[in-house]
Amino acid sequence: MARIAVIGAGMGAMAAAARLAVAGHRVVVYERSDTYGGAVRRFERDGFRFDTGPGLLPLPAVWRDLFVKTGKEPLESCVDLVQVDPASHHVFPDGTRVSLPNASRAGVVAALDEALGKGAGERWGDFLVRARETWDRTRRPLLEEPLWPNWRVLADKEPYPALERKRLLRTRKAATLEQIGAWELGDERLWALLDSHALAYGLDPRRTPASAAVLPYMEHAFGLWYVRGGIRELARAVYERCLARKVEFVFGAEVTGIAEKDGRAVGVELAGGTSQASGSGGGTVAEADHVVAGVDPVRLNGLTAHLLDADGDVRADTVTARPGRFTVLLALRGAPEAGAPHRTVVHAPDRTAELEFLTARSSEPVRPTVTVLRPDDPALCPDADHESVVLSAVAPTEADWDVDGTAERFADLVVDAAESAVPGLRKRVLWREVRSPDRTEDETGAHFGAVPAPSLAAAHGAFLHPANTTRLPGLYRVGGWSHPGGGLPHAGMSGALVAGLIVEGPQFRGSQ
């Protein structure tokens, strides 16, 4: 039985902890805050409840697998999981609206043809076929296996089978999402639909590789799901599964360093006063045979003097340059109208201005693409005569949200966009809670409150994440800032990979 110290109680870290405990190891999780879940949190006030992180669950099979592998109770016995239908309702700048059914290619094609004109659905359907080929080519190396030592094989070749485009005696193929939209989809509304899948992770479609076609494909192929009571209930279920497998949690535990001996990680250094540890001086040391770090690269590199990334390796993300999630939580009087869609995406009226603000090339906030979540869930409201709504957009983490009312002005723009999704919105508002990326950093410790994206192939490795193993033996990375990247499914996969590497050793090659 090995001793495992886990830094952070995020979803990927807890997924690894549960699997390691089942394998017979003693696992202790050290979390700097007073609760579990990482970015999967909840805000409560006056009987209203809101998810402040992800609001929907793609690829639930990842978490089903965790529950199967760590006990007899399946996921559905621990949470009430329901499929969202339609998967999304879209409002475009020209006033066009369309509802896309969940996990139905024929239904999506028909809906787009009816709303956008004949041929639009077929173009999107053909794109999904190419996206599926990209998924098939990259699924195993990007999601199910530890990052290959020869990862440049993933980085140097674009797996998306782009259509050839002949112009002025030249043949070109789309290499970015923007080029897919412009050259293969044509209609600006389809282009905006494609953009929205990248923007959800703070990715700039102008620079995001075409391999990101897997993002809309994942949603189309596997559907979107909601957990009754909010996605926070999934975090609760994973936490309780960890407890049932004898994982220990120490909350309010600030890890200040990685203890090293003979060139290997041998524990974690903790701020003074933390229990479960012993040592001398101003802090304490919790000894361990392996350390699993569920923190972003900036924080992890600050915990050790050892060189974790070097030339030739996949570099840690430039966290300071990544956008974060901006949310507005709305407590509304009045029940929602019958048939209100669970998720509505209101697309930005000026794509270029939105991207310039997102990438901090413009300091003046503009109306962004806004996601409106309206769960039909009595558990989120004080009674049937009220509604709990979450509005979200991505925004630059470098913005000084406390200066000159920047956060409130941007929140007003977000609410303006949501007016087209929620009838009589402003008249129904009892109160609102504005949460900028700074709030995410305060709560979770994520540097600048940035949002990690899934790993993507091509683009010379710029969209890959650091491997789960590090140059310091005994130290592993887990969670959204490590392979295979951000998002609830990817976090769960990272936990499975790290557990496999510790249990089976460096020869582990993923699930078969």
Side-chain angles (χ1 to χ4, degrees):
M1 179 178 73
R3 299 166 299 174
I4 315 290
V6 180
I7 307 172
M11 297 298 285
M14 290 197 295
R19 291 176 182 270
L20 288 166
V22 166
H25 300 299
R26 183 189 174 217
V27 184
V28 182
V29 178
Y30 299 95
E31 166 59 45
R32 65 187 290 274
S33 73
D34 60 358
T35 191
Y36 53 84
V40 182
R41 300 212 170 205
R42 174 183 289 152
F43 179 83
E44 299 185 41
R45 175 181 162 188
D46 300 340
F48 291 90
R49 307 166 88 190
F50 308 85
D51 280 323
T52 59
L56 292 170
L57 177 65
L59 247 180
V62 173
W63 297 99
R64 290 189 179 117
D65 181 71
L66 172 72
F67 278 73
V68 167
K69 298 291 176 56
T70 60
K72 296 181 180 179
E73 274 190 304
L75 175 62
E76 277 82 356
S77 294
C78 303
V79 297
D80 186 2
L81 194 61
V82 294
Q83 196 167 23
V84 176
D85 201 16
S88 57
H89 182 75
H90 291 263
V91 180
F92 298 102
D94 67 353
T96 304
R97 294 171 176 261
V98 62
S99 289
L100 302 181
N102 203 340
S104 170
R105 181 179 181 274
V108 168
V109 168
L112 289 173
D113 272 343
E114 181 178 353
L116 308 187
K118 188 172 178 57
E122 182 178 359
R123 288 196 299 277
W124 184 258
D126 290 345
F127 158 73
L128 287 177
V129 171
R130 295 189 292 276
R132 176 179 180 174
E133 188 171 338
T134 310
W135 169 262
D136 290 340
R137 292 175 177 177
T138 61
R139 174 183 58 84
R140 186 158 183 81
L142 276 184
L143 300 181
E144 298 176 358
E145 299 179 340
L147 190 66
W148 293 345
N150 61 335
W151 57 266
R152 290 192 182 279
V153 175
L154 296 170
D156 295 335
K157 185 177 180 180
E158 173 57 66
Y160 177 75
L163 299 178
E164 290 189 352
R165 177 176 182 264
K166 294 183 178 180
R167 186 177 181 184
L168 299 177
L169 303 179
R170 295 181 61 192
T171 299
R172 303 182 66 185
K173 291 185 176 182
T176 65
L177 279 190
E178 178 172 76
Q179 290 169 345
I180 291 176
W183 300 352
E184 297 182 5
L185 299 179
D187 191 301
E188 289 187 357
R189 295 163 295 185
L190 292 180
W191 191 351
L193 177 59
L194 177 61
D195 277 355
S196 66
H197 291 277
L199 290 171
Y201 291 102
L203 296 172
D204 182 348
R206 299 171 298 186
R207 295 166 181 80
T208 302
S211 65
V214 297
L215 301 179
Y217 174 77
M218 284 175 57
E219 180 176 312
H220 160 75
F222 306 109
L224 280 178
W225 301 75
Y226 174 69
V227 179
R228 293 279 181 198
I231 294 296
R232 176 66 178 178
E233 287 298 294
L234 176 64
R236 175 205 45 85
V238 176
Y239 171 66
E240 291 180 355
R241 176 55 55 89
C242 286
L243 293 179
R245 299 301 169 259
K246 309 304 181 184
V247 175
E248 299 177 52
F249 285 81
V250 184
F251 294 106
E254 182 72 34
V255 175
T256 57
I258 307 295
E260 302 177 25
K261 183 178 180 180
D262 300 328
R264 179 181 177 82
V266 295
V268 294
E269 299 170 359
L270 299 157
T274 301
S275 61
Q276 306 289 329
S278 61
S280 60
T284 55
V285 174
E287 296 179 352
D289 300 296
H290 302 277
V291 176
V292 177
V295 297
D296 68 65
V298 172
R299 185 179 171 202
L300 181 57
N301 286 333
L303 296 179
T304 175
H306 197 91
L307 186 64
L308 296 181
D309 299 285
D311 291 342
D313 286 346
V314 175
R315 305 292 297 186
D317 298 68
T318 307
V319 182
T320 54
R322 294 208 47 80
R325 183 178 289 108
F326 188 104
T327 58
V328 182
L329 314 179
L330 297 178
L332 304 184
R333 61 172 63 88
E337 70 278 13
H342 188 121
R343 179 178 72 159
T344 299
V345 179
V346 183
H347 296 272
D350 189 331
R351 178 179 185 270
T352 300
E354 177 183 30
L355 296 179
E356 290 300 294
F357 175 65
L358 178 65
T359 54
R361 290 178 174 84
S362 170
S363 59
E364 184 59 29
V366 297
R367 211 186 92 174
T369 295
V370 173
T371 298
V372 182
L373 295 181
R374 306 176 67 189
D376 180 15
D377 189 347
L380 304 183
C381 303
D383 54 51
D385 294 323
H386 294 85
E387 185 180 5
S388 167
V389 174
V390 176
L391 315 180
S392 65
V394 289
T397 53
E398 298 95 327
D400 194 339
W401 296 104
D402 295 327
V403 172
D404 299 328
T406 302
E408 290 296 330
R409 285 190 291 122
F410 192 60
D412 287 340
L413 293 170
V414 169
V415 173
D416 286 345
E419 285 273 9
S420 59
V422 185
L425 175 61
R426 288 192 178 275
K427 294 180 180 179
R428 296 177 57 197
V429 174
L430 289 170
W431 50 263
R432 76 182 190 185
E433 173 81 9
V434 177
R435 300 170 62 90
S436 68
D438 294 347
R439 183 74 169 272
T440 302
E441 180 177 22
D442 291 342
E443 288 185 348
T444 69
H447 199 61
F448 279 86
V451 173
S455 289
L456 299 172
H460 307 294
F463 293 83
L464 295 176
H465 290 269
N468 304 110
T469 54
T470 72
R471 285 178 168 262
L472 180 61
L475 176 63
Y476 302 82
R477 300 181 180 95
V478 75
W481 294 109
S482 65
H483 179 74
L488 282 171
H490 296 72
M493 293 171 192
S494 77
L497 293 174
V498 168
L501 287 164
I502 291 175
V503 172
E504 298 187 26
Q507 72 275 10
F508 175 68
R509 289 295 177 266
S511 58
Q512 299 300 319

